[in-house]
Amino acid sequence: MGIAFMDRWRARHEETIGAGPEGTDAGEGIGGLLAECELLREQADEAGVVLDDSRASLAALDQLLPRWRDDPEASEWLGNDAGLYLGTVIVRTVPGAVWRIWPDGRPVVLLRAGRELDVVRMGHGWATDGYPELAAVYAEVEED
């Protein structure tokens, strides 16, 4: 998966997450870990962008110059962080949204209507291609 703390969490909770094909809801503890997004926060801070778990912060991230694209390793980590931050904003601000961990360790956001968002995949797309825009994903989720 490429997210070290998720791999460790998954190893500790293997019995629970292996119980069904649909994955398991993650508790608040894992939500806190997913919200750390250290590299993204560093990049944002350097650019003067405040990550305050708001839609406006997602729009501000969309406006960053993608200097990281020259470094594939940085893009990989930043993609993880961008997806996890997007998921964090959704979980913290959209009623009924929760983190869910699939048996393979992949964190996704489960919306109240049952739709799942692979936010890490979206974050990778944003980091490498600039698409999807993080604020646009949030706007779409808000409409659901």
Side-chain angles (χ1 to χ4, degrees), residues 11 13 22 27 34-35 40 42 63 68 87 101 104 110 130 135 138-139 141:
H13 296 85
E22 71 281 346
L34 295 172
L40 181 69
E42 186 179 296
Q63 301 305 311
W68 58 83
I101 308 300
D104 66 358
L110 176 64
Y138 184 86
V141 166

Side-chain angles (χ1 to χ4, degrees), residues 10-26:
R10 182 174 164 236
R12 284 194 312 271
H13 296 85
E14 196 76 45
E15 198 172 285
T16 306
I17 63 177
E22 71 281 346
T24 188
D25 290 346

Side-chain angles (χ1 to χ4, degrees), residues 1-14 17 24-27 29-36 77 80-81 84 99-108 120:
M1 164 118 223
I3 306 173
F5 67 84
M6 285 299 304
D7 294 338
R8 288 190 299 273
W9 181 88
R10 182 174 164 236
R12 284 194 312 271
H13 296 85
E14 196 76 45
I17 63 177
T24 188
D25 290 346
I30 194 69
L33 286 173
L34 295 172
E36 288 182 7
W77 282 102
N80 283 341
D81 280 6
L84 296 175
W99 283 108
R100 173 162 281 191
I101 308 300
W102 276 85
D104 66 358
R106 179 173 45 120
V108 297
V120 172

Side-chain angles (χ1 to χ4, degrees), residues 10-137:
R10 182 174 164 236
R12 284 194 312 271
H13 296 85
E14 196 76 45
E15 198 172 285
T16 306
I17 63 177
E22 71 281 346
T24 188
D25 290 346
E28 287 182 32
I30 194 69
L33 286 173
L34 295 172
E36 288 182 7
C37 313
E38 187 176 335
L39 181 59
L40 181 69
R41 290 183 186 281
E42 186 179 296
Q43 293 278 331
D45 189 51
E46 288 175 11
V49 173
V50 176
L51 299 184
D52 60 0
D53 298 344
S54 69
R55 181 182 188 174
S57 68
L58 295 172
L61 286 173
D62 287 336
Q63 301 305 311
L64 291 179
L65 291 174
R67 294 188 174 114
W68 58 83
R69 290 189 185 144
D70 294 334
D71 181 351
E73 187 173 319
S75 277
E76 176 75 17
W77 282 102
L78 196 63
N80 283 341
D81 280 6
L84 296 175
Y85 182 70
L86 171 62
T88 296
V89 172
I90 292 169
V91 167
R92 290 183 176 172
T93 62
V94 174
V98 295
W99 283 108
R100 173 162 281 191
I101 308 300
W102 276 85
D104 66 358
R106 179 173 45 120
V108 297
V109 173
L110 176 64
L111 302 176
R112 183 181 356 195
R115 180 174 163 215
E116 288 185 336
L117 300 174
D118 188 345
V119 291
V120 172
R121 183 184 53 76
M122 292 173 179
H124 281 278
W126 175 84
T128 59
D129 304 321
Y131 180 82
E133 289 185 339
L134 304 175
V137 171

